[in-house]
Amino acid sequence: EAQVTQNPRYLITVTGKKLTVTCSQNMNHEYMSWYRQDPGLGLRQIYYSMNVEVTDKGDVPEGYKVSRKEKRNFPLILESPSPNQTSLYFCASSGFPISYNEQFFGPGTRLTVL
Amino acid sequence: GIQVEQSPPDLILQEGANSTLRCNFSDSVNNLQWFHQNPWGQLINLFYIPSGTKQNGRLSATTVATERYSLLYISSSQTTDSGVYFCAVDWGKLQFGAGTQVVVTP
């Protein structure tokens, strides 16, 4: 089954404790991205990657890191989480160029930073 | 950047009713998608519709790219249609609207 998977689905952590949210897709997609969703603000892009070893900032990259060492994986790293990073996070993937390809989203990761 | 506006922001429907959701965008876009976010938070692709009309069961969508809007029709609504409906436009990157919160009551 074609899908985007994320882990963990739920995470409660404390300020400053490094964490990684994994994302994996099995559709051989070149393009992957991370979004955060906050009430009243919709989804905002954090980082995106157009292929292996190619990443770039989205609209709200501060406090996040990403890496793309393999085509299928695109982990999101919070090196020192803060309470304002409490949010619902989505990973997405699509073929490239994204203008002519449908975006597929993972199930989401609900993160709470205390 | 591009502005994406969805209306109405909230919609309460009785089961069996029909409704129309609208998505306006401020500039030319390469494509447009509609998503449904269910009460558990999962985003589900409904339509990939840069132009024209598509139908999938009780749902259909129409995009008029030249006039910069798209419409999502829900017919014979069911309680499982509850959730938030997002449109997202691509203009080099994906830009989401703020969503329409739909509640379908029995």
Side-chain angles (χ1 to χ4, degrees), chain B residues 4-25:
Chain B
V4 182
E5 295 181 353
Q6 291 187 243
S7 60
D10 300 280
L11 192 58
I12 300 176
L13 299 170
Q14 193 148 23
E15 204 167 21
N18 303 328
S19 65
T20 301
L21 283 58
R22 187 175 181 104
C23 173
N24 291 334
F25 41 96

Side-chain angles (χ1 to χ4, degrees), chain A residues 9 35 37 40 42-43 45 59 88 90 98-107 110, chain B residues 30-31 33 35 37 40-43 45 47-48 86 90 92-98:
Chain A
R9 296 288 312 282
Y35 295 83
Q37 183 181 14
L43 279 83
Q45 192 179 59
D59 297 319
L88 178 58
F90 289 98
I98 63 169
S99 300
Y100 304 105
N101 286 278
E102 192 174 348
Q103 295 267 332
F104 293 89
F105 282 80
R110 196 170 291 276
Chain B
N30 297 316
N31 70 49
Q33 287 186 243
F35 297 90
Q37 186 170 40
W40 295 271
Q42 189 170 7
L43 276 170
N45 294 42
F47 294 102
Y48 170 81
F86 290 101
D90 175 73
K93 65 174 188 176
L94 206 61
Q95 183 77 37
F96 281 78

Side-chain angles (χ1 to χ4, degrees), chain A residues 80-94:
Chain A
S80 183
S82 62
N84 64 13
Q85 293 178 298
T86 292
S87 187
L88 178 58
Y89 291 86
F90 289 98
C91 179
S93 75
S94 76

